[in-house]
């Protein structure tokens, strides 16, 4: 039995030395030290030995097990280190090669347009005010002279969360909240933000879009002040040679109300496919603040007046950059966005 143990030890050590990977090494461990291995079988046969032989053979078996286990652990360490070195070698990087150029990102077209408009009005003394997108029905409609039952309040036109809460359909609620907070003091603000309407998405419509509304309230505010402000806006966004015209319109929160057109930047008013051969392009709606809106917010409409306007950021961006589909702004297609990478100055 002693001779058999020594022979098993030599065989195990030889196979450990020959193992070239961790799997082969594990096979050796199972073969010689496993529950069904020959060394374990010899231990099971110890009961057949005499009382004098049993301690001697038990010590010898343990020595053999310890020797084999120790060699296994050494070889595992060697193979693991070799594997790490091989991985490092295969994944090495030649730092002398030229690096790949990382292209810097750029601001989104809508962000540029909004910031450009904000810069203009900040320079004219306006404040930028924001408000919640989930709005109360009162601020979204009633405070804007849209009483219960008005057609514009139809459930098909708005995203209602509850009977008295909805996703705002314009940024006018920010104006209502600002007037309420100012308590009759003069106001000069613009209100940029996202708005939501139940609309079928197509090339010129979206269920959500960006809007920038402006509000001025004070003594002796006139329609001519509104026209001069919008003329400055048109020249800023489309060029110093642009002109505007005002057409009568209707909005519940302004009286009188106007639609504002700008002379076509492509044909300079001569007529082309962009302006539908009229020479003019509609860009926004505006008007003098309705007395009812002023009174509901605590202003004396006999002493103070004001004007308001609403700009669609997508509308301005589409005209300014020649975008033919509003959906391009929201699909995050890098092929579209990369076209304007160098457009910013």
């Amino acid at each position: 039995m002693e001779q058999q143990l020594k022979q098993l030890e030599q065989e195990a050590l030889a196979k450990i030395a020959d193992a070239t990977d961790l799997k082969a090494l594990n096979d050796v461990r199972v073969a010689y030290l496993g529950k069904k291995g020959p060394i374990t079988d010899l231990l099971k046969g110890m009961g057949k030995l005499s009382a004098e032989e049993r301690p001697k053979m038990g010590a010898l078996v343990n020595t053999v097990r310890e020797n084999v286990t120790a060699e296994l652990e050494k070889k595992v360490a060697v193979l693991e280190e070799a594997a790490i070195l091989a991985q490092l070698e295969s994944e090495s990087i030649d730092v002398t090669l030229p690096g790949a150029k990382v292209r810097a990102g750029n601001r989104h077209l809508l962000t540029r347009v909004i910031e450009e408009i904000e810069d203009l009005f900040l320079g004219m003394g306006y404040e930028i005010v924001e408000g919640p997108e989930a709005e109360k029905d009162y601020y979204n409609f009633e405070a804007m002279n849209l009483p219960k039952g008005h057609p514009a309040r139809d459930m098909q036109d708005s995203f209602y969360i509850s009977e008295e809460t909805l996703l705002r359909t314009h940024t006018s609620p920010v104006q209502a909240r600002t007037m309420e907070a100012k308590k009759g003091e003069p106001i000069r603000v613009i209100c940029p933000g996202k708005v939501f309407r139940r609309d079928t998405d197509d090339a010129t419509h979206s269920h959500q879009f960006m809007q920038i509304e402006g509000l001025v309230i004070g003594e002796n505010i006139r329609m001519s002040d509104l026209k001069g402000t919008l003329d400055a806006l048109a020249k800023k966004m489309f060029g110093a040679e642009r002109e505007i015209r005002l057409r009568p319109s209707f909005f519940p929160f302004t009286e009188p109300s106007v639609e504002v057109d700008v002379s076509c930047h492509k044909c300079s008013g001569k007529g082309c496919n962009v302006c539908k051969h009229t020479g003019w392009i509609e860009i926004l709606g505006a008007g003098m603040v309705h007395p009812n809106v002023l009174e509901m917010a605590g202003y004396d409409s006999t002493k103070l007046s004001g004007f308001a306007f609403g700009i669609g950021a997508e509308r301005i961006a589409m005209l300014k950059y020649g975008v033919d589909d509003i959906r391009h702004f929201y699909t995050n297609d890098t092929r579209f966005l990369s076209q304007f990478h160098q457009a910013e100055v």
Side-chain angles (χ1 to χ4, degrees):
M1 189 174 182
E2 182 177 349
Q3 183 64 31
Q4 187 179 2
L5 273 171
K6 291 181 178 180
Q7 184 178 351
L8 287 173
E9 181 181 9
Q10 292 174 358
E11 290 177 0
L13 295 177
K15 289 185 178 181
I16 290 172
D18 293 338
T20 58
D21 56 52
L22 294 174
K23 181 181 182 306
L25 204 59
N26 187 61
D27 292 341
V28 174
R29 182 189 63 78
V30 172
Y32 287 90
L33 301 180
K35 293 180 179 180
K36 297 180 181 181
I39 295 178
T40 303
D41 288 341
L42 288 175
L43 284 172
K44 292 178 181 178
M46 294 285 290
K48 298 178 182 180
L49 300 176
S50 64
E52 293 80 10
E53 293 178 315
R54 198 175 300 153
K56 179 182 177 182
M57 293 306 299
L60 183 59
V61 170
N62 286 332
T63 299
V64 171
R65 285 177 62 90
E66 290 172 359
N67 290 341
V68 172
T69 300
E71 288 300 314
L72 280 169
E73 291 175 351
K74 290 180 183 178
K75 193 58 181 284
V76 166
V78 171
L79 291 178
E80 286 180 343
E81 184 178 0
I84 292 173
L85 291 174
Q87 183 179 5
L88 290 173
E89 181 67 25
S90 65
E91 296 178 355
S92 63
I93 300 174
D94 186 350
V95 295
T96 64
L97 291 174
K101 183 178 180 181
V102 178
R103 185 174 181 180
N106 210 9
R107 291 182 299 172
H108 195 279
L109 286 187
L110 293 182
T111 301
R112 293 190 217 171
V113 166
I114 292 170
E115 290 181 352
E116 194 171 353
I117 293 173
E118 288 177 344
D119 288 344
L120 170 67
F121 283 99
L122 285 172
M124 297 167 66
Y126 285 63
E127 296 179 63
I128 299 174
V129 183
E130 297 181 343
E133 293 178 1
E135 186 55 90
K136 292 183 179 180
D137 180 272
Y138 172 78
Y139 290 110
N140 195 79
F141 289 131
E142 291 186 46
M144 290 291 106
N145 201 34
L146 289 159
K148 299 286 187 182
H150 192 283
R153 298 168 59 94
D154 194 306
M155 291 286 286
Q156 298 301 314
D157 297 330
S158 309
F159 291 102
Y160 276 87
I161 299 171
S162 68
E163 187 174 345
E164 294 300 326
T165 308
L166 73 160
L167 297 180
R168 66 186 182 187
T169 58
H170 45 189
T171 56
S172 298
V174 183
Q175 298 180 8
R177 290 177 177 274
T178 301
M179 287 189 287
E180 186 179 79
K182 290 291 186 178
K183 300 183 183 302
E185 296 179 2
I187 293 175
R188 189 180 294 180
V189 298
I190 58 168
C191 313
K194 189 184 298 181
V195 300
F196 309 85
R197 296 181 188 177
R198 294 189 62 180
D199 210 341
T200 301
D201 288 10
D202 57 28
T204 57
H205 299 84
S206 175
H207 65 280
Q208 69 172 48
F209 54 95
M210 300 297 295
Q211 191 175 58
I212 305 173
E213 294 193 19
L215 173 67
V216 174
I217 298 177
E219 294 184 6
N220 200 29
I221 302 297
R222 300 163 296 186
M223 180 69 80
S224 58
D225 299 317
L226 170 62
K227 184 176 181 181
T229 300
L230 298 180
D231 185 64
L233 172 64
K235 286 177 167 53
K236 169 72 173 179
M237 301 307 294
F238 301 109
E241 67 280 7
R242 299 280 70 80
E243 297 179 359
I244 65 169
R245 72 175 183 182
L246 308 184
R247 292 180 289 107
S249 186
F250 169 78
F251 301 110
F253 30 81
T254 53
E255 179 60 37
S257 303
V258 293
E259 297 285 357
V260 182
D261 302 331
V262 62
S263 58
C264 182
H265 57 282
K266 183 176 180 180
C267 66
S268 298
K270 297 177 181 179
C272 65
N273 61 323
V274 173
C275 61
K276 299 179 181 179
H277 303 284
T278 65
W280 299 92
I281 301 173
E282 181 182 326
I283 57 170
L284 58 92
M288 302 302 293
V289 180
H290 198 291
N292 290 350
V293 174
L294 292 172
E295 295 290 343
M296 282 188 286
Y299 286 82
D300 186 345
S301 62
T302 63
K303 296 180 179 179
L304 299 175
S305 58
F307 64 75
F309 55 87
I311 311 165
E314 288 85 349
R315 175 71 170 161
I316 300 298
M318 291 175 76
L319 293 173
K320 186 176 178 67
Y321 293 101
V323 178
D324 61 0
D325 195 320
I326 194 173
R327 291 169 291 193
H328 291 324
F329 293 121
Y330 300 106
T331 54
N332 294 326
D333 189 331
T334 56
R335 294 172 298 178
F336 166 74
L337 298 174
S338 63
Q339 297 177 76
F340 307 97
H341 186 75
Q342 300 298 329
E344 187 173 10
V345 294

